[in-house]
Amino acid sequence: MTLKQLRKMLDKKEISAVELTKQYLTKINKTNNKLNCYITICTDSAVNEAKKAQSAIDRGKADAFTGLPVSVKDNICTEGIKTTCASRMLENFVPPYDATVIEKLKKSNAVILGKTNMDEFAMGGSSQTSYFGGVKNPYDISHVAGGSSGGAAASVAAGLCAAALGSDTGGSIRQPASFCGVTGLKPTYGAVSRWGLIAFASSLDQIGIIAKSAEDTGYMLNGIYGFDENDATSSKNAKGNYMKLVGTNINNLTIGIPKEFFGDGLNNEVKTAVMTAIEYYKTLGCKIINVSLPSLEYAVSAYYLISSAEAASNLSRFDGIKYGFRNGLGEDYNELIKLSRSEGFGNEVKRRILLGNYALCSGYYDAYYKNATRIRAKLKNEYTKIFEQCDVILTPTAPAAAYKIGEQENDPVKMYLADIYTVTANIAGLPAISTTCGYNSHGLPVGMSLTGRAFDEETIIAVCDRFERDFVRKEAVI
Ligand code: GLN
């Protein structure tokens, strides 16, 4: 059920928050070994939170999230609850504080069911690089759930929570949402506080939402957005009221179709599904125009240079001394760091650290990092021009649907290239939402994305919601 439906049931007392939480926990305990979407299941604390929520409801003090059961990606800090980033490095890390988004949900008496599995340190697109084993796709467990918020997307798709918090640095909310047939929203950079999100690439990272509907993503964003003095990059421009255009007439909007997103490398079944969605908007009366993002061809390179450079710097704090995994058997200080990092990090994380440090070396800095920042500026300009002509942009979310586990993970370049349609929103800091627009011949979901102007989440949410009202989703059977 959606957050909206559950809110009604709780308010009408058709079910108590405790019963609801217990139902979800029972289902999680039954299904999680098949999907591996939770790293930590918060059985006791969830029931306690549900009791508190029910007492608030009984006192007539319920607000937006009271009693609603949600999951949280395991790179978002939760006080007293392990936050591992799916890494051996943080296997036993228990944060002494809550991320701002968690504080907000708790204030509203939400129920946190558990911490979801992901690619290690959110680096990846398959959720197979987790130290705790890979996540499986609820539509077919021989396929990946996408990543890095694969556990979050699978938990929503399989009905193991009502909605999920994830993070998106280059597509990690939208791509797994599209692989698992649910809705994923990456808000504008700065709209939601990153305080308490374990950093991967700080200029690209954004906390966002995976839910059963576009409307639910708006509902949840209303609860977590806003300026935070603990996050120097959080913004005062986020306006809230993200559901205000839901259900209004969107027929007079202009939708831009960037031709570069429909070229070589796009799977035919995905292309057909996205084209059908474009036709749908045409029948509503929306104006469809062709637009162009010429620098798309450099986007993946720029993204991997910038994100790896920032990752190399952010992850230097994990030295086996301040916190995290330690191998203290070495002879001296340097060896302690070396052994701890060698054993604490997995291969993909090491690859990014090497790439990032290499790109930042004095001799290479201009050739790599500086050029990447130039591409970034160019992409931003190109988006600004596009949004002079249209209100939203419609594209595929990923070049293909979920692939078989083991099929691509050994080819990092192929994996990186598959991020082509999602990374530009992060590079330019724009909001984007992915929803299911079809199924391939194997029955796996196919996603499309809507990207909007900065701080204009309400438009993409409304445009996405309009499509979802007329599109029949197939539930995952698990
Ligand atoms: N797949 C991308 C990467 O591997 C995106 C990750 C993310 O958004 N966290 O970097």
Side-chain angles (χ1 to χ4, degrees):
M1 281 191 193
T2 62
L3 293 173
K4 199 178 153 192
Q5 290 164 330
L6 290 175
R7 178 77 274 139
K8 263 200 202 132
M9 284 184 73
L10 287 166
D11 289 344
K12 286 194 185 154
K13 302 204 178 173
E14 288 166 9
I15 190 166
S16 80
V18 180
E19 278 172 282
L20 184 66
T21 297
K22 284 188 175 161
Q23 281 184 16
Y24 273 99
L25 287 169
T26 306
K27 196 164 176 197
I28 292 171
N29 283 319
K30 225 173 77 190
T31 322
N32 194 48
N33 57 353
K34 276 192 213 147
L35 299 174
N36 201 21
C37 53
Y38 281 97
I39 292 176
T40 302
I41 303 167
C42 302
T43 310
D44 295 339
S45 58
V47 172
N48 283 337
E49 284 162 0
K51 283 182 186 157
K52 254 173 75 186
Q54 190 54 41
S55 127
I57 295 170
D58 291 340
R59 283 180 284 122
K61 290 256 162 19
D63 58 15
F65 290 99
T66 309
L68 293 179
V70 299
S71 72
V72 176
K73 188 175 179 179
D74 214 17
N75 59 350
I76 300 174
C77 286
T78 40
E79 186 183 343
I81 297 172
K82 261 201 261 179
T83 300
T84 69
C85 258
S87 179
R88 185 180 191 195
M89 185 57 90
L90 291 175
E91 188 180 2
N92 297 308
F93 175 57
V94 179
Y97 70 105
D98 276 326
T100 299
V101 289
I102 300 297
E103 239 173 53
K104 290 191 178 208
L105 289 182
K106 281 190 179 167
K107 230 180 228 157
S108 178
N109 280 316
V111 174
I112 294 171
L113 294 170
K115 304 295 296 285
T116 55
N117 204 353
M118 52 187 275
D119 281 299
E120 186 180 3
F121 279 97
M123 297 170 186
S126 65
S127 298
Q128 302 302 306
T129 68
S130 166
Y131 178 61
F132 303 97
V135 182
K136 290 167 184 162
N137 192 309
Y139 281 84
D140 179 344
I141 56 169
S142 67
H143 285 64
V144 301
S148 62
S149 313
S155 72
V156 175
L160 305 186
C161 66
L165 285 181
S167 71
D168 191 312
T169 305
S172 276
I173 283 178
R174 292 158 284 156
Q175 185 256 33
S178 86
F179 279 16
C180 292
V182 289
T183 309
L185 171 73
K186 179 203 94 73
T188 309
Y189 184 73
V192 176
S193 167
R194 289 185 297 113
W195 169 254
L197 169 69
I198 297 175
F200 161 12
S202 312
S203 77
L204 303 159
D205 292 343
Q206 189 55 65
I207 290 178
I209 299 135
I210 298 181
K212 290 218 170 268
S213 68
E215 200 178 7
D216 270 5
T217 65
Y219 188 86
M220 196 128 163
L221 185 58
N222 280 342
I224 62 167
Y225 84 96
F227 174 74
D228 178 8
E229 58 180 20
N230 286 330
D231 172 3
T233 58
S234 95
S235 168
K236 290 186 172 148
N237 293 333
K239 299 180 289 279
N241 207 356
Y242 293 109
M243 284 149 65
K244 76 165 178 263
L245 299 180
V246 167
T248 62
N249 186 358
I250 59 146
N251 308 4
N252 51 358
L253 290 184
T254 305
I255 300 178
I257 313 295
K259 59 172 187 282
E260 293 82 3
F261 286 68
F262 293 82
D264 285 349
L266 177 60
N267 170 284
N268 260 330
E269 289 183 315
V270 175
K271 190 171 178 178
T272 308
V274 176
M275 289 298 187
T276 311
I278 296 172
E279 285 308 312
Y280 166 81
Y281 284 114
K282 232 184 236 175
T283 62
L284 288 183
C286 294
K287 196 171 157 199
I288 308 289
I289 61 164
N290 290 321
V291 294
S292 172
L293 194 73
S295 298
L296 182 70
E297 61 173 309
Y298 307 114
V300 170
S301 315
Y303 167 79
Y304 275 92
L305 285 166
I306 294 169
S307 63
S308 301
E310 292 183 18
S313 158
N314 273 324
L315 270 60
S316 65
R317 74 190 69 182
F318 300 106
D319 55 5
I321 294 169
K322 289 192 281 292
Y323 41 60
F325 175 81
R326 170 184 297 184
N327 179 332
L329 295 177
E331 300 265 293
D332 57 15
Y333 175 76
N334 282 331
E335 211 174 332
L336 186 151
I337 294 180
K338 192 168 136 188
L339 286 175
S340 301
R341 285 169 70 83
S342 299
E343 292 169 20
F345 290 136
N347 284 343
E348 185 56 32
V349 173
K350 286 179 193 162
R351 187 170 10 247
R352 309 275 180 128
I353 293 173
L354 286 173
L355 177 62
N357 280 323
Y358 182 82
L360 291 173
C361 283
S362 57
Y364 300 120
Y365 179 88
D366 282 355
Y368 295 122
Y369 186 76
K370 209 163 157 197
N371 267 339
T373 60
R374 284 203 190 108
I375 301 291
R376 184 174 204 169
K378 247 184 129 204
L379 276 164
K380 278 188 184 166
N381 284 336
E382 288 171 13
Y383 266 119
T384 305
K385 280 205 191 108
I386 289 180
F387 283 118
E388 282 164 9
Q389 303 163 259
C390 62
D391 304 289
V392 302
I393 298 166
L394 195 159
T395 63
T397 304
Y403 49 87
K404 267 212 151 104
I405 293 173
E407 209 173 72
Q408 269 182 37
E409 292 90 329
N410 295 329
D411 188 346
V413 174
K414 200 167 172 193
M415 296 273 293
Y416 296 174
L417 289 172
D419 293 333
I420 180 146
Y421 302 141
T422 47
V423 293
T424 55
N426 303 75
I427 292 175
L430 301 173
I433 191 165
S434 174
T435 190
T436 311
C437 65
Y439 297 86
N440 72 6
S441 44
H442 193 75
L444 292 164
V446 169
M448 67 161 174
S449 280
L450 296 154
T451 307
R453 297 187 179 98
F455 299 106
D456 187 18
E457 279 82 356
E458 58 261 37
T459 302
I460 53 171
I461 288 171
V463 175
C464 189
D465 166 81
R466 189 66 190 81
F467 181 84
E468 288 179 353
R469 282 170 196 239
D470 285 327
F471 179 80
V472 184
R473 270 192 194 172
K474 297 180 194 157
E475 293 291 322
V477 187
I478 185 86

